[in-house]
Amino acid sequence: MKDRARSFPARGISVRDDWFAWLPDEKEKFFHRNTQELESTYTMWSVVLDEAISLRRDGQLSKSLKAVAVSSELCPLLTEPLAALLRALSEHARHYGTIPNAAPLDPANFRGQRGRHAARMSGLLNRVLFSHRFQFLHKVSTLEEMVEDLGKDFRDAALDLAEEAAANSGSTWEEVDSNHFDLNTCLRQTS
């Protein structure tokens, strides 16, 4: 149970402390409302993509391609607000100097080559960027770039599938699945 009588700490000792820190009521409501919106959008997108993959596996390619086309249209409903949230976090941190602790991205949490590479670079730079401010800002900017790039790559691959240009291409289906997985990781790192 959160203790509402405490004062709001500027920054905890660790990421875990920051994660479990008390938020004032207005900020907590804002956080939960925005998290719920992102989660709802993510869930809709995931369900449609899962349906497309299941239909393909069951040999219903035509229906599968229609579902993957819908997933392509749903993707920006997640990636655009998520990228905007990351930009807002960065701008807020730059303007107000509110910098939480930031753990480096873990390459093991990503499937795609781009995600693993960005996470490795993030971890490397986290070792040489000595200030918490630069570590946080770099992580947020890396996540923002990844969300935008992965979203574009997902939409491009899904549209290739939907247009039947690569309908039987296992590698394109794997790319769609991998980009979905990595966007989920970006969402989890953000929220």
Side-chain angles (χ1 to χ4, degrees):
M1 175 90 27
K2 293 183 180 181
D3 180 10
R4 301 287 180 194
R6 296 187 323 179
S7 63
F8 181 65
R11 189 163 61 100
I13 296 170
S14 68
V15 173
R16 182 178 169 79
D17 289 342
D18 286 347
W19 182 251
F20 289 108
W22 171 80
L23 287 175
D25 285 339
E26 279 189 41
K27 289 181 181 181
E28 186 170 2
K29 286 177 186 174
F30 177 82
F31 171 78
H32 286 294
R33 183 178 62 245
N34 285 288
T35 301
Q36 184 60 40
E37 287 175 17
L38 288 170
E39 287 295 335
S40 295
T41 304
Y42 172 76
T43 299
M44 286 187 303
W45 177 51
S46 291
V47 166
V48 171
L49 180 59
D50 185 57
E51 181 70 13
I53 292 169
S54 294
L55 287 166
R56 177 179 180 258
R57 190 177 326 118
D58 293 343
Q60 299 180 41
L61 191 58
S62 178
K63 287 181 181 180
S64 173
L65 298 180
K66 289 177 185 172
V68 83
V70 172
S71 75
S72 175
E73 294 174 18
L74 290 173
C75 183
L77 298 178
L78 173 69
T79 59
E80 290 171 7
L82 185 56
L85 174 62
L86 289 160
R87 276 190 298 281
L89 279 172
S90 179
E91 289 172 19
H92 185 278
R94 290 175 203 275
H95 184 72
Y96 294 104
T98 308
I99 307 292
N101 288 298
L105 296 171
D106 184 353
N109 291 333
F110 294 90
R111 280 191 187 164
Q113 192 69 352
R114 175 179 286 168
R116 286 193 306 266
H117 175 74
R120 278 193 297 274
M121 290 303 295
S122 172
L124 177 67
L125 287 174
N126 201 58
R127 289 187 188 118
V128 297
L129 297 174
F130 297 111
S131 89
H132 290 288
R133 180 177 194 273
F134 286 127
Q135 289 173 357
F136 176 76
L137 291 172
H138 181 266
K139 180 176 183 175
V140 169
S141 114
T142 298
L143 285 168
E144 179 188 349
E145 184 178 321
M146 287 173 68
V147 165
E148 290 171 346
D149 291 345
L150 288 165
K152 181 186 179 315
D153 291 349
F154 177 90
R155 288 187 311 274
D156 290 347
L159 286 174
D160 283 349
L161 290 170
E163 293 170 357
E164 299 187 34
N168 291 317
S169 170
S171 64
T172 306
W173 282 99
E174 287 173 17
E175 180 181 357
V176 164
D177 191 37
S178 174
N179 289 336
H180 169 263
F181 185 92
D182 289 353
L183 279 165
N184 179 36
T185 301
C186 291
L187 173 61
R188 303 298 158 220
Q189 287 290 316
T190 304
S191 57

